[in-house]
Amino acid sequence: AQSVTQLGSHVSVSEGALVLLRCNYSSSVPPYLFWYVQYPNQGLQLLLKYTSAATLVKGINGFEAEFKKSETSFHLTKPSAHMSDAAEYFCAVSKPGGNEKLTFGTGTRLTIIP
Amino acid sequence: DAGVTQSPTHLIKTRGQQVTLRCSPISGHKSVSWYQQVLGQGPQFIFQYYEKEERGRGNFPDRFSARQFPNYSSELNVNALLLGDSALYLCASRSPNTEAFFGQGTRLTVV
C-alpha cells in the first residue's frame, strides 16, 4: 500500500518569504511522486512530478521539490511567495508506470500574508 | 486542445436519488479515472477505466458504478444517494506517458 502524509494542514507565509510544504511518503516500491495545486472551486493542476529521474524537480510557477529516499520525503519549496500562490496543495504518490492510480495526502492550505 | 471536461458543474440531489456524472477526456487519452473529494480532504480514488475496461476500483460501496464508452468518455453513477456522498467529483484522463490531467469537477450536493 502507498500513502502520503502532509505535515501542516495550514501554512501561512509573508509575501516574498520562502514557501515550504512538507510531504512524506510510504511505498513498498520506488514511487512516482506529484504535487498538485487546487484553486477555489477548481480542479487539480500539476505543479511538478518525480518519476525516478533527477531527484531535484522543477515545476511551474517557480516551485521545485527534492526527492529524498533516505528521508522518504518530497517537500515542495518556492524561494519567494507571491499572493497568487494562495491555494490548496496536494502531494500524491503512485506506483511506477503510466497508468497507476494516485493516492493523495490531505492537503495543505497556503495563505500568503501581504 | 480542450482539456478534460465534466458535466454538470453543479448538481443538487435528494437522498435516495440516483445521479450520473459525465466526463470527456483529452483527445487521444484512453484512460479515465474518477476521484471523490470531500470538503477539506484530498481526492480519493473511485475507479479507473482503460480501453473501456475497469482497471481499478477504490474502497467505495457498490452504489458507485462507472463505464467507459467507445469514444473514451465516461460516466460515473451513484445510486441511493446519501448525505455523505456530497463532494466534488473529479475526472482525470491520461495517456501511458503523461501525468493525469484533471477536469474542473462536478460539485454534488445531497440534501
Side-chain angles (χ1 to χ4, degrees):
Chain A
Q2 299 181 301
S3 66
V4 292
T5 301
Q6 293 185 240
L7 300 175
S9 57
H10 291 84
V11 170
S12 295
V13 301
S14 297
E15 190 175 16
L18 171 71
V19 174
L20 171 61
L21 305 183
R22 300 178 186 273
C23 173
N24 288 88
Y25 70 89
S26 174
S27 178
S28 57
V29 297
Y32 282 8
L33 291 159
F34 307 81
W35 275 99
Y36 281 87
V37 62
Q38 186 176 38
Y39 297 99
N41 300 314
Q42 294 194 24
L44 301 172
Q45 180 184 12
L46 182 70
L47 282 176
L48 49 80
K49 61 182 179 181
Y50 166 78
T51 56
S52 73
T55 57
L56 181 62
V57 181
K58 294 187 183 298
I60 62 171
N61 301 339
F63 285 95
E64 64 181 38
E66 186 172 8
F67 173 71
K68 293 187 177 181
K69 184 178 179 180
S70 61
E71 299 176 9
T72 62
S73 68
F74 190 58
H75 301 331
L76 181 71
T77 61
K78 181 175 180 178
S80 177
H82 191 273
M83 295 301 295
S84 61
D85 295 327
E88 188 91 20
Y89 291 80
F90 293 95
C91 181
V93 64
S94 78
K95 292 181 181 178
N99 232 5
E100 299 293 331
K101 71 172 185 178
L102 294 166
T103 300
F104 286 88
T106 52
T108 297
R109 180 167 300 278
L110 177 64
T111 299
I112 309 299
I113 303 167
Chain B
D1 280 342
V4 178
T5 57
Q6 293 186 241
S7 63
T9 54
H10 294 83
L11 202 52
I12 299 175
K13 289 287 190 178
T14 304
R15 280 177 296 176
Q17 286 188 316
Q18 176 265 343
V19 68
T20 298
L21 311 181
R22 295 176 176 82
C23 172
S24 293
I26 292 172
S27 177
H29 288 190
K30 299 179 180 180
S31 173
V32 169
S33 297
W34 288 94
Y35 291 81
Q36 181 196 63
Q37 185 179 16
V38 174
L39 195 62
Q41 297 190 20
Q44 297 289 316
F45 172 74
I46 310 175
F47 284 110
Q48 183 191 29
Y49 278 78
Y50 179 71
E51 288 275 21
K52 302 179 288 288
E53 291 189 3
E54 182 182 303
R55 292 297 183 93
R57 173 187 285 254
N59 188 25
F60 281 80
D62 291 343
R63 299 184 295 107
F64 288 76
S65 63
R67 55 180 174 169
Q68 187 176 32
F69 298 97
N71 66 353
Y72 304 112
S73 67
S74 177
E75 286 183 351
L76 175 70
N77 294 283
V78 186
N79 293 323
L81 284 167
L82 303 174
L83 294 179
D85 295 330
S86 295
L88 180 68
Y89 289 84
L90 295 165
C91 173
S93 77
R94 68 190 307 174
S95 65
N97 296 318
T98 70
E99 68 274 13
F101 290 86
F102 284 83
Q104 299 286 78
T106 293
R107 173 74 62 188
L108 172 64
T109 302
V110 182
V111 297

